[in-house]
Amino acid sequence: MKVLIVGAGSVGASIARELHASGHEITIIDSKPETKKRANLPQVQWFIGDACELSVLKLAVPEESEVVVAATGDDKANLMVSLLCRSEYGVPRTVARVNNPRNEWLFDESWGVDVAVSTPRLMTALVEEAVVVGDVVRLLTLQAGGATLVEYTVPEDHPVIGYRVDHVQWPTDTVLTAILRDGAPIAPSADVVLEGSDELFFITTIAGEDQIRALFA
């Protein structure tokens, strides 16, 4: 898979390193020449310049990329790169980093963003997911379809314990995608019986999150 990464700071460089190790073809654009030396990624293709300028962006031939990752530390730049790649070059999938949670509402399909990753929100969610039992925790927002990935840990005394997955009336537009039990993932087939401390992972909508809360309340 061809991936274009804009921004080679600690986040962008780490993404590039992991994806290249997995066998993907990586191209990087960064505005600072010293970043190339610091990142130490000689095996990927580099372009130095401001990716918000079409003259720079087109050098990386973004139309040949299957995914563009806007990973700079500037939310405005990430939005502009996502919009240009989608509108000017028809890139099929864009992933954008959100640095300031207050800007998260901007990162949607109107700006060409398929998936918005808010580092502060994600860290908060992971902390909550580790310590909160009995509440719905949003892990990720998939902006293009208005969908979210949420997690719910079943309390040890919850009435849903002992029910089979197919006996629970899940909310509309909500899909139980996985169950984590004792550290091991379980496919949520119809005959799986829910147990205390099960971590349930759902793909749902914003409205569906409230419906899941109501269901487990």
Side-chain angles (χ1 to χ4, degrees), residues 43-144:
Q43 65 273 43
V44 308
Q45 187 175 25
W46 282 82
F47 294 96
I48 302 300
D50 185 354
C52 293
E53 297 182 6
L54 281 174
S55 59
V56 175
L57 186 59
K58 71 178 182 180
L59 294 175
V61 196
E63 63 270 25
E64 295 184 359
S65 297
E66 296 167 70
V67 181
V68 169
V69 180
T72 78
D74 185 335
D75 284 346
K76 296 188 295 295
N78 292 341
L79 284 171
M80 183 58 67
V81 165
S82 299
L83 182 61
L84 288 174
C85 287
R86 173 58 54 79
S87 62
E88 297 294 328
Y89 297 101
V91 175
R93 188 163 182 81
T94 60
V95 179
R97 173 188 177 186
V98 185
N99 297 278
N100 188 336
R102 289 180 294 181
N103 296 330
E104 190 172 0
W105 65 277
L106 289 166
F107 286 72
D108 60 17
E109 58 185 356
S110 65
W111 279 93
V113 178
D114 290 312
V115 179
V117 181
S118 172
T119 304
R121 179 182 289 276
L122 182 58
M123 292 182 69
T124 300
L126 291 174
V127 170
E128 290 179 338
E129 189 272 334
V131 300
V132 175
V133 175
D135 196 10
V136 175
V137 177
R138 185 188 301 179
L139 300 178
L140 188 64
T141 301
L142 308 174
Q143 293 283 6

Side-chain angles (χ1 to χ4, degrees), residues 60 79 149 172 183 187 189 195 200 210:
L79 284 171
L149 172 65
T172 305
S189 57
E195 298 181 3
L200 311 181
D210 291 334

Side-chain angles (χ1 to χ4, degrees), residues 32-45:
K32 300 177 181 178
E34 63 270 20
T35 304
K36 181 177 180 180
K37 182 177 181 180
R38 185 169 61 246
N40 192 26
L41 288 166
Q43 65 273 43
V44 308
Q45 187 175 25

Side-chain angles (χ1 to χ4, degrees), residues 160-170 189-194:
V160 78
I161 293 173
Y163 278 79
R164 289 181 13 168
V165 167
D166 64 343
H167 288 172
V168 180
Q169 188 172 355
W170 304 111
S189 57
D191 58 350
V192 171
V193 176
L194 298 175

